[in-house]
Amino acid sequence: MQTENFTLKIKMGLEEKIRKNPSFSLRAFAKQLGVSAATLSGILSGKRALTAEMMGKIGFALNLTSEEVWNYQRQALGHTEDSKHAEFKQLSQEMFVIVSEWYHLTILELMKLSDFKPDANWISKRLNVNSNQIKIALDRLQRVGILEINGNVWLDKTDGFTTHYNPQQTSEAKKRYQKQLLEKSLESLAKDDYAIRDHSSITIAINTKDILKAKKEIQAFRKKLCELMEASPRPDEVYQLQLGFFPLTGNKTKNLKNKKKSN
């Protein structure tokens, strides 16, 4: 029942295409939606389960609004209005689909800043993101139980721990998330003074059998650096580490003058 309405939406889209062009095929429609014909056939027949990620992909291809896609995804995950108080420590892969725009989890980090203001417009200016997008993000974070807002009191229900990391698992949502952050990294590389960022790299000859070992070392380094940085009692900016290390809050931070530039 939770995905029947979305399946009906797909069927209506197909019917509309056929109405305009009687020779329009299921295969052509599947191509427009970005899925295989077999997958689409399975969805329409009820033999193929619809995941929240698949709903996002197909929904946007059907030109649904972000809010419409969100509502379908929320229903598929079994969330109702009363579920906003559910607690999450680690985001499931499907839950991450819903909050995979880079600024969703950044908002939670922004709440730790000493000058944080519980106001969508303030967040919009700090992150340089449209205020309507921020309002939608805040609503989503509340609905999935990650964020609780009572007036000016905002509470991160994960106690500061939100992760989607799983070294054995990836998804289109995670790829899109990392792509967004790579784009933010390039923006920082172009506009920010080297004094407030670090973009560095190292070239290494390796044995591919050691790749998993390298991933574990990188994971341990990330955790250690996070603990070191968050030990400060008065954080004032939100940064991202991709080896690039760069600010996501670009409104307050000023490029430092008279510093030696470096690439």
Side-chain angles (χ1 to χ4, degrees):
M1 175 62 73
Q2 294 163 342
T3 60
E4 284 180 2
N5 289 338
F6 190 82
T7 302
L8 180 59
K9 198 78 173 179
I10 299 173
K11 289 179 179 178
M12 290 171 61
L14 178 58
E15 289 170 357
E16 180 66 20
K17 295 285 186 182
I18 294 174
R19 189 179 300 114
K20 293 179 179 179
N21 178 9
S23 64
F24 189 79
S25 68
L26 180 74
R27 184 175 298 277
F29 191 47
K31 186 176 181 179
Q32 290 183 0
L33 298 181
V35 299
S36 69
T39 295
L40 180 58
S41 177
I43 290 172
L44 294 178
S45 66
K47 296 178 181 179
R48 175 70 179 262
L50 265 168
T51 65
E53 182 173 2
M54 185 71 74
M55 285 182 169
K57 185 176 186 178
I58 293 176
F60 288 121
L62 289 172
N63 294 319
L64 300 182
T65 66
S66 296
E67 191 62 22
E68 286 175 319
V69 172
W70 151 249
N71 284 330
Y72 283 121
Q73 289 174 324
R74 181 168 57 86
Q75 292 168 17
L77 291 172
H79 290 286
T80 64
E81 295 299 321
D82 294 333
S83 69
K84 67 180 182 180
H85 297 293
E87 293 188 7
F88 292 87
K89 290 295 181 183
Q90 183 169 358
L91 303 183
S92 69
Q93 180 156 299
E94 289 202 337
M95 186 64 69
F96 180 68
V97 172
I98 297 174
V99 293
S100 61
E101 295 294 329
W102 70 270
Y103 47 82
H104 282 84
L105 300 185
T106 304
I107 290 171
L108 301 181
E109 291 301 306
L110 202 61
M111 289 166 56
K112 300 175 183 178
L113 303 190
S114 56
D115 65 339
F116 174 73
K117 290 181 175 58
D119 177 76
N121 290 327
W122 183 87
I123 295 172
S124 171
K125 291 177 182 177
R126 288 304 304 271
L127 299 184
N128 194 28
V129 174
N130 181 279
S131 60
N132 288 328
Q133 289 177 280
I134 294 298
K135 290 173 184 176
I136 291 172
L138 292 173
D139 181 64
R140 289 180 175 179
L141 289 169
Q142 289 180 85
R143 288 176 184 248
V144 299
I146 295 174
L147 175 65
E148 184 176 304
I149 296 180
N150 293 306
N152 288 329
V153 179
W154 292 24
L155 178 64
D156 180 352
K157 297 292 287 182
T158 67
D159 297 323
F161 178 68
T162 47
T163 181
H164 60 90
Y165 177 75
N166 183 330
Q168 308 302 324
Q169 194 177 63
T170 189
S171 68
E172 290 304 314
K174 291 181 181 181
K175 290 177 183 178
R176 184 173 65 251
Y177 177 73
Q178 291 299 330
K179 182 180 178 181
Q180 290 174 358
L181 291 175
L182 285 170
E183 290 169 350
K184 299 295 292 183
S185 179
L186 288 173
E187 288 177 16
S188 177
L189 181 64
K191 72 178 184 180
D192 289 334
D193 193 289
Y194 185 69
I196 63 168
R197 65 170 177 81
D198 188 279
H199 287 82
S200 55
S201 62
I202 184 170
T203 304
I204 318 168
I206 71 164
N207 185 316
T208 53
K209 293 180 180 179
D210 293 331
I211 289 177
L212 181 58
K213 185 190 301 183
K215 289 185 175 184
K216 289 181 178 179
E217 288 294 322
I218 293 169
Q219 182 182 6
F221 165 73
R222 288 201 312 264
K223 182 177 180 180
K224 183 177 180 180
L225 182 65
C226 181
E227 292 173 351
L228 178 65
M229 293 292 98
E230 293 197 339
S232 173
R234 292 183 61 81
D236 57 9
E237 297 287 5
V238 176
Y239 267 61
Q240 180 71 31
L241 173 67
Q242 277 193 317
L243 298 180
F245 181 57
F246 56 93
L248 291 174
T249 42
N251 175 256
K252 179 184 175 185
T253 302
K254 305 296 184 183
N255 283 347
L256 305 182
K257 304 297 183 181
N258 302 319
K259 294 287 186 178
K260 182 180 180 181
K261 303 269 183 168
S262 173
N263 290 322

